[in-house]
Amino acid sequence: MKFNQALENITTYEAGKPIELVVREYGISPDQIVKLASNENPFGCSPKVKEAVRAIIDNMALYPDDSMVKLKTALSAKYGIESTELVIGAGSDQVIEFAIHAKAHGGGKVLMNSVTFAMYEIYAKQVGAQIIRTASREHKMEEFYALYQEHKPSIIFLCTPNNPTGDGLKAEEMISFIEKVDSDTLVIVDGAYMEYARFKNPAYAVEPKELIEKFDNVLFLGTFSKAYGLGGMRVGYGIACKNIITALYKVRPPFNITTLSLEAASVALEDEAFVEGCIADNFAQMKRYETFAHEKGIDVIDSYTNFVTLSLPEEKNSSKIAQELLKKGMIVRDLSSYGLNAIRVTIGTSVQNDRFFELTDPLL
């Protein structure tokens, strides 16, 4: 059977290993497994969210409110924008898919950082788009601008803070770059970890309202999967001018967000104190990783997220270390598929982090 030829050059996205798979493969009890691979909130979601979802559990038989009015109203209030400037996706990666199909279908060019979120390339290749990458690991705007001038891409992805490395881009620097981009190029600012960047250093905080008021070619992405602890509910969103949102709605399937997910995300926005507490603990625990890396002589990328990337010396192999940790019930992310000899570790609870240091120390 023949399939779309564009699929031949696509590598399937490799998600972090689930706890269930480690249980089956290694026979380890679930309560002995620590998952620090997928940048989830180790404290989960707000207790208010759990109560709200339980209260509407009997509504699972009903189709969701496709207008998503409750969630859009809450997000509009949070960011000071109109509901017509919002599109909701099953995770922010679905909004990425919408944008690719709306703008790059038919062989456009998509510009992105050398090391960044894998789904940009995967979605772009699905529609036959050409991938253009910078040379540097960090987001260097001079490299982006040179490639922009040379290739005139349909879409530019700026992931800040960047996944899988954790480094950030100052808002002022990013805005200066976008000012030099023509209005027919869609600039997608992926802010999946923006809550963490805003907490650590306001200079790295991108404000969606300011972006879309200044630029009519920018799409800002946010998610409930990270700071809000709702990775399993799959809710993300895009913020842009009305013209962009109208185009994205033309490729959005109906009822793309479940009833329970809509309720969970809406209520999560009502408990910002819970989220702020989780973020504060995240950066307090991150200092322990920085100290650990320093003691081991390992480079750690300055992170504006809820994870750290440990760049290993040549004599240490990231794949082997990740595999050895897996055998002991510690799930981390090997970044060799990104061309890095590094492991990415989600900042866990103090107990989970203790376990990481205990198991990793002999390997380094």
Side-chain angles (χ1 to χ4, degrees), residues 74-81 195 198 207-209 220 222 237 239:
L75 283 169
S76 296
K78 175 180 174 65
Y79 289 113
I81 59 174
E195 291 85 359
R198 184 176 291 110
E207 301 303 334
K209 182 179 181 179
F220 176 88
Y237 54 91
I239 299 174

Side-chain angles (χ1 to χ4, degrees), residues 68 71-72 75-76 79 81-99 186-192 208-209 211-212 218-224 235-242 244-246 248-249 252 256-257:
M68 307 182 194
L71 179 55
K72 284 187 175 182
L75 283 169
S76 296
Y79 289 113
I81 59 174
E82 301 294 327
S83 62
T84 52
E85 296 169 327
L86 274 165
V87 63
I88 311 299
S92 57
D93 47 334
Q94 189 181 43
V95 184
I96 294 169
E97 183 181 18
F98 295 162
L186 178 62
V187 180
I188 300 179
V189 178
D190 190 343
K209 182 179 181 179
L211 271 187
I212 68 172
V218 173
L219 171 64
F220 176 88
L221 303 177
T223 184
F224 288 90
V235 188
Y237 54 91
I239 299 174
C241 69
K242 296 176 184 178
I244 293 176
I245 297 301
T246 298
L248 299 187
Y249 258 87
R252 182 192 75 95
N256 61 315
I257 310 297

Side-chain angles (χ1 to χ4, degrees), residues 244-298:
I244 293 176
I245 297 301
T246 298
L248 299 187
Y249 258 87
K250 292 181 179 181
V251 295
R252 182 192 75 95
F255 309 115
N256 61 315
I257 310 297
T258 71
T259 297
L260 301 185
S261 296
L262 285 172
E263 181 70 6
S266 301
V267 176
L269 290 171
E270 299 173 5
D271 196 356
E272 293 287 356
F274 173 83
V275 176
E276 287 295 307
C278 293
I279 295 174
D281 187 87
N282 172 80
F283 285 109
Q285 290 293 319
M286 186 181 290
K287 292 177 181 178
R288 300 179 63 195
Y289 281 85
E290 293 168 347
T291 299
F292 176 78
H294 177 73
E295 291 174 349
K296 290 293 181 179
I298 295 172

Side-chain angles (χ1 to χ4, degrees), residues 18 21 46 57 90 99 124 152 171 179 353 363:
L21 181 62
S46 164
I57 202 76
K152 297 299 181 183
E179 287 175 337
N353 298 331
L363 301 176

Side-chain angles (χ1 to χ4, degrees), residues 26 28 317-330 332 359 363:
Y26 297 101
I28 303 172
N317 183 282
S318 63
S319 297
K320 290 182 178 179
I321 288 177
Q323 187 63 32
E324 286 302 312
L325 289 173
L326 197 61
K327 293 176 183 178
K328 299 177 185 298
M330 173 62 61
V332 298
L359 294 177
L363 301 176

Side-chain angles (χ1 to χ4, degrees), residues 86-360:
L86 274 165
V87 63
I88 311 299
S92 57
D93 47 334
Q94 189 181 43
V95 184
I96 294 169
E97 183 181 18
F98 295 162
I100 292 286
H101 280 269
K103 184 63 178 170
H105 204 283
K109 297 179 180 179
V110 179
L111 173 59
M112 64 191 70
N113 201 56
S114 172
V115 179
T116 195
F117 185 41
M119 291 309 300
Y120 305 154
E121 178 175 335
I122 291 173
Y123 283 134
K125 283 185 173 180
Q126 287 176 2
V127 300
Q130 180 183 349
I131 308 301
I132 311 296
R133 289 185 181 270
T134 62
S136 300
R137 175 186 61 74
E138 308 92 341
H139 277 63
K140 291 187 176 180
M141 291 296 92
E142 63 272 19
E143 291 184 17
F144 269 87
Y145 187 61
L147 290 171
Y148 159 74
Q149 288 186 304
E150 179 183 354
H151 296 281
K152 297 299 181 183
S154 303
I155 297 176
I156 299 173
F157 279 100
L158 300 176
C159 187
T160 180
N162 190 36
N163 180 17
T165 53
D167 52 309
L169 183 63
K170 286 186 177 179
E172 183 179 4
E173 185 179 1
M174 182 195 70
I175 289 172
S176 295
F177 166 74
I178 299 175
E179 287 175 337
K180 295 183 288 187
V181 174
D182 71 86
S183 60
D184 192 49
T185 300
L186 178 62
V187 180
I188 300 179
V189 178
D190 190 343
Y193 298 90
M194 191 55 63
E195 291 85 359
Y196 296 94
R198 184 176 291 110
F199 182 96
K200 182 173 181 177
N201 188 339
Y204 289 77
V206 176
E207 301 303 334
K209 182 179 181 179
E210 294 178 11
L211 271 187
I212 68 172
E213 286 180 346
K214 189 175 181 64
F215 305 107
D216 60 4
N217 64 327
V218 173
L219 171 64
F220 176 88
L221 303 177
T223 184
F224 288 90
S225 296
K226 307 304 178 185
Y228 288 91
L230 294 176
M233 300 303 266
R234 309 305 299 126
V235 188
Y237 54 91
I239 299 174
C241 69
K242 296 176 184 178
N243 287 344
I244 293 176
I245 297 301
T246 298
L248 299 187
Y249 258 87
K250 292 181 179 181
V251 295
R252 182 192 75 95
F255 309 115
N256 61 315
I257 310 297
T258 71
T259 297
L260 301 185
S261 296
L262 285 172
E263 181 70 6
S266 301
V267 176
L269 290 171
E270 299 173 5
D271 196 356
E272 293 287 356
F274 173 83
V275 176
E276 287 295 307
C278 293
I279 295 174
D281 187 87
N282 172 80
F283 285 109
Q285 290 293 319
M286 186 181 290
K287 292 177 181 178
R288 300 179 63 195
Y289 281 85
E290 293 168 347
T291 299
F292 176 78
H294 177 73
E295 291 174 349
K296 290 293 181 179
I298 295 172
D299 291 332
V300 56
I301 297 174
D302 187 27
S303 176
Y304 292 81
T305 65
N306 65 342
F307 61 85
V308 291
T309 297
L310 304 178
S311 299
L312 305 180
E314 291 184 6
E315 64 270 18
K316 300 293 182 179
N317 183 282
S318 63
S319 297
K320 290 182 178 179
I321 288 177
Q323 187 63 32
E324 286 302 312
L325 289 173
L326 197 61
K327 293 176 183 178
K328 299 177 185 298
M330 173 62 61
I331 312 173
V332 298
R333 190 64 182 266
D334 169 30
L335 297 184
S336 59
S337 62
Y338 287 88
L340 299 177
N341 183 34
I343 57 173
R344 189 190 68 190
V345 188
T346 306
I347 306 299
T349 64
S350 60
V351 173
Q352 290 173 329
N353 298 331
D354 287 344
R355 184 66 173 155
F356 172 82
F357 299 135
E358 176 188 345
L359 294 177
T360 309

